[in-house]
């Protein structure tokens, strides 16, 4: 009797271990089964007009198109089971993109909303999808169960209506608040309303949410993330125009507490006094200097800290940044993805190339523009491209 019980318990133990092992091996790629609907489109055979042979990556990495036919693909967010939500700035739509068969490439897209006003920002939390228009925050309740019949409600409609720098990246912070930037309504100006040139945060669970300005003096941030260890908010900021090809640099900043000021419109890149408003501000040391200068007019947008297990250990907790590229520089700059190396003291020790080739420097030809970065459950990363209308997947094979 004791022997039988022993073998029975051993069998159960081995069964549990085997199941856990299978779950671990297959958990990186989730299969979906979603019904057909009027808002569902197959993208399994869609092709993107890309030149991946021109993309340069560190040794052992490879790039492929994960999803094609995603017009003006911009900000990315993801559910726990790997559904990727995509906002855009020009096409007025929001998408859910799925790898239904778990083969590492997207098969389907759902059009969740049409006709919105620059719905650039998307953020997923606790089963709900949040979308930022220029002046509104929308909520799609229980989105995963409603992909075929998505509906939304407006939870806040009080952000400025100005379109200049009005498109927004949004994300939930460790405090559960939704962080929402409000860009300067101009190239360079001094606004009476403190909500401009800022990063705000709101409590989406409040019956009457009111934005709190978390960071001041931020000209136009279209990407931020929280350091996995310190919890500090790191964000990109686009520098002002019309001061020449090489001044001022775009910035990588860190906010360690609420209320800090990052210089705009008085100082740029930490040490460049604005020719129009510099005399009105304080001394440069009164403002937070950037942790790294990212080049003039390079337009750094999406930033994510890598926390996966696929890439080499040297990538752990380091920032991957998408640089959208210049629009008015005499010689184009940006159009690449870089790695910002951050040490244990929170200082950037180096910014090095990670993915480049969307710009041919010799001919000045551009065929793609990176926008945002999103880590997948298997440790690979997605990079959106609003010119090639697709999303890439970068993985590491070590070969």
């Amino acid at each position: 009797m004791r022997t039988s019980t022993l073998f029975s318990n051993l069998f159960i133990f081995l069964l549990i271990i085997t199941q856990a092992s299978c779950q671990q091996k297959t958990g990186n790629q989730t299969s979906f089964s979603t019904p057909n609907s009027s808002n569902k489109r197959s993208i399994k055979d869609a092709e993107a007009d890309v030149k991946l042979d021109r993309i340069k990556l560190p040794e052992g990495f490879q790039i492929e198109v994960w999803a094609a036919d995603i017009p003006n693909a911009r900000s990315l967010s993801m559910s726990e089971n790997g559904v990727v939500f995509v906002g855009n700035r020009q096409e007025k739509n929001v998408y859910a993109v799925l790898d239904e068969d778990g083969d590492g490439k997207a098969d389907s897209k759902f059009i969740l909303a049409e006709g919105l006003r620059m719905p650039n920002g998307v953020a997923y939390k606790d089963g709900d999808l949040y979308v930022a228009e220029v002046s509104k925050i929308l909520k799609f309740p229980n989105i995963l169960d409603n992909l075929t019949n998505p509906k939304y409600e407006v939870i806040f409609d009080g952000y400025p209506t100005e379109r200049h720098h009005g498109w927004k990246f949004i994300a939930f912070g460790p405090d559960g608040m939704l962080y929402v930037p409000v860009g300067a309504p101009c190239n360079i100006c001094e606004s009476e309303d403190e909500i401009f040139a800022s990063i705000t945060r709101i409590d989406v669970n409040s019956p009457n949410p009111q934005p709190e300005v978390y960071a001041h003096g931020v000209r136009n941030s279209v990407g931020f993330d929280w350091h996995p260890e310190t919890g500090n908010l790191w964000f990109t900021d686009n520098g002002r125009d019309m001061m020449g090809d090489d001044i001022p640099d775009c910035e990588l900043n860190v906010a360690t507490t609420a209320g800090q000021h990052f210089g705009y419109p008085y100082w740029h890149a930490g040490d460049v006094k604005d020719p129009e408003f510099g005399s009105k501000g304080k001394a440069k040391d009164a403002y937070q200097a950037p942790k790294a200068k990212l080049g003039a007019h390079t337009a750094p947008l999406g930033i994510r800290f890598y926390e996966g297990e696929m890439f080499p250990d040297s990538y752990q907790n380091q920032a991957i940044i998408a640089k959208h590229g210049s629009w008015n520089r005499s010689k184009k700059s940006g159009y690449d993805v870089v790695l910002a190396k951050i040490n244990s003291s929170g200082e950037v020790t180096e910014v090095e190339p990670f993915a480049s080739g969307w710009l041919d420097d010799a001919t000045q030809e551009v065929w793609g523009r990176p926008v945002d970065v999103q880590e997948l459950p298997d440790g690979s990363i997605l990079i959106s491209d609003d010119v090639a209308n697709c999303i890439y997947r970068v993985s590491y094979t070590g070969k």
Side-chain angles (χ1 to χ4, degrees):
M1 185 70 177
R2 291 180 179 177
T3 303
S4 176
T5 301
L6 178 62
F7 276 106
S8 176
N9 290 339
L10 180 60
F11 174 79
I12 293 173
F13 174 76
L14 291 175
L15 180 62
I16 293 172
I17 293 297
T18 302
Q19 289 176 335
S21 176
C22 290
Q23 288 172 358
Q24 185 177 5
K25 291 178 181 178
T26 62
N28 288 335
Q29 299 293 341
T30 304
S31 296
F32 300 90
S33 179
T34 59
N36 291 326
S37 62
S38 60
N39 70 324
K40 182 180 180 180
R41 307 285 187 273
S42 173
I43 56 172
K44 189 175 184 66
D45 298 321
E47 296 183 357
D49 184 12
V50 296
K51 301 176 176 65
L52 295 187
D53 58 312
R54 299 187 183 181
I55 300 297
K56 297 180 180 178
L57 292 160
E59 185 176 357
F61 287 86
Q62 63 182 18
I63 188 170
E64 59 190 333
V65 174
W66 182 78
D69 190 22
I70 312 295
N72 196 235
R74 294 276 296 186
S75 295
L76 305 173
S77 187
M78 188 180 66
S79 69
E80 303 92 337
N81 59 350
V83 175
V84 175
F85 301 101
V86 189
N88 65 46
R89 174 183 161 190
Q90 296 177 347
E91 298 296 328
K92 305 178 181 180
N93 297 348
V94 177
Y95 302 100
V97 184
L98 290 75
D99 174 9
E100 296 208 62
D101 59 12
D103 68 348
K105 293 187 177 182
D107 314 295
S108 306
K109 71 176 182 183
F110 287 86
I111 302 172
L112 302 181
E114 299 177 278
L116 300 180
R117 191 179 185 215
M118 301 174 105
N120 184 85
V122 288
Y124 175 86
K125 181 175 174 58
D126 298 333
D128 302 324
L129 175 67
Y130 297 82
V131 175
E133 292 188 271
V134 172
S135 61
K136 303 176 183 178
I137 302 296
L138 315 178
K139 176 182 177 180
F140 292 72
N142 198 19
I143 186 61
L144 297 180
D145 291 334
N146 293 285
L147 293 174
T148 61
N149 186 31
K151 297 180 180 179
Y152 66 81
E153 58 193 65
V154 179
I155 64 168
F156 184 71
D157 186 15
Y159 280 109
T161 58
E162 283 80 352
R163 290 175 61 90
H164 197 119
H165 297 150
W167 56 94
K168 294 170 170 56
F169 173 91
I170 58 173
F172 282 93
D175 56 5
M177 303 281 276
L178 182 66
Y179 284 69
V180 184
V182 181
C186 55
N187 172 39
I188 182 73
C189 58
E190 189 178 35
S191 301
E192 292 184 1
D193 190 340
E194 71 166 0
I195 200 168
F196 286 111
S198 75
I199 297 176
T200 73
R201 59 182 178 183
I202 64 172
D203 181 1
V204 298
N205 297 314
S206 170
N208 184 31
Q210 295 298 316
E212 168 200 355
V213 175
Y214 183 79
H216 302 265
V218 181
R219 180 178 178 270
N220 183 35
S221 179
V222 196
F224 42 81
D225 196 11
W226 288 263
H227 192 282
E229 294 180 338
T230 67
N232 289 334
L233 174 64
W234 288 71
F235 62 92
T236 59
D237 192 11
N238 291 191
R240 69 157 289 180
D241 297 311
M242 310 308 173
M243 285 184 66
D245 274 359
D246 301 314
I247 299 175
D249 278 87
C250 296
E251 304 171 14
L252 174 61
N253 293 291
V254 59
T256 57
T257 187
Q260 293 173 314
H261 198 295
F262 292 83
Y264 177 90
Y266 314 113
W267 290 88
H268 310 289
D271 55 7
V272 177
K273 181 181 285 191
D274 189 82
E276 298 180 48
F277 296 99
S279 62
K280 292 186 177 182
K282 302 176 182 178
K284 65 179 181 180
D285 292 342
Y287 305 107
Q288 301 298 312
K291 288 295 183 180
K293 298 179 180 182
L294 299 177
H297 310 294
T298 60
L301 301 184
I303 171 176
R304 306 281 177 166
F305 285 100
Y306 186 77
E307 300 182 72
E309 298 180 358
M310 176 184 286
F311 292 6
D313 291 343
S314 59
Y315 286 81
Q316 195 67 210
N317 297 336
Q318 306 303 302
I320 300 173
I321 303 171
K323 295 161 74 174
H324 197 229
S326 59
W327 67 273
N328 65 342
R329 196 172 184 271
S330 60
K331 186 176 182 181
K332 294 182 175 68
S333 60
Y335 305 92
D336 58 359
V337 179
V338 298
L339 179 72
K341 294 184 175 180
I342 303 168
N343 64 20
S344 58
S345 300
E347 300 300 324
V348 177
T349 59
E350 185 179 3
V351 178
E352 64 180 32
F354 178 71
S356 61
W358 288 276
L359 165 67
D360 186 315
D361 193 58
T363 65
Q364 293 288 280
E365 174 195 3
V366 172
W367 59 268
R369 303 185 76 177
V371 178
D372 199 10
V373 180
Q374 173 65 57
E375 186 179 313
L376 286 176
D378 65 357
S380 62
I381 63 169
L382 300 180
I383 301 171
S384 58
D385 185 330
D386 63 352
V387 167
N389 301 316
C390 69
I391 303 172
Y392 311 102
R393 176 175 176 261
V394 176
S395 57
Y396 180 75
T397 63
K399 298 178 182 179

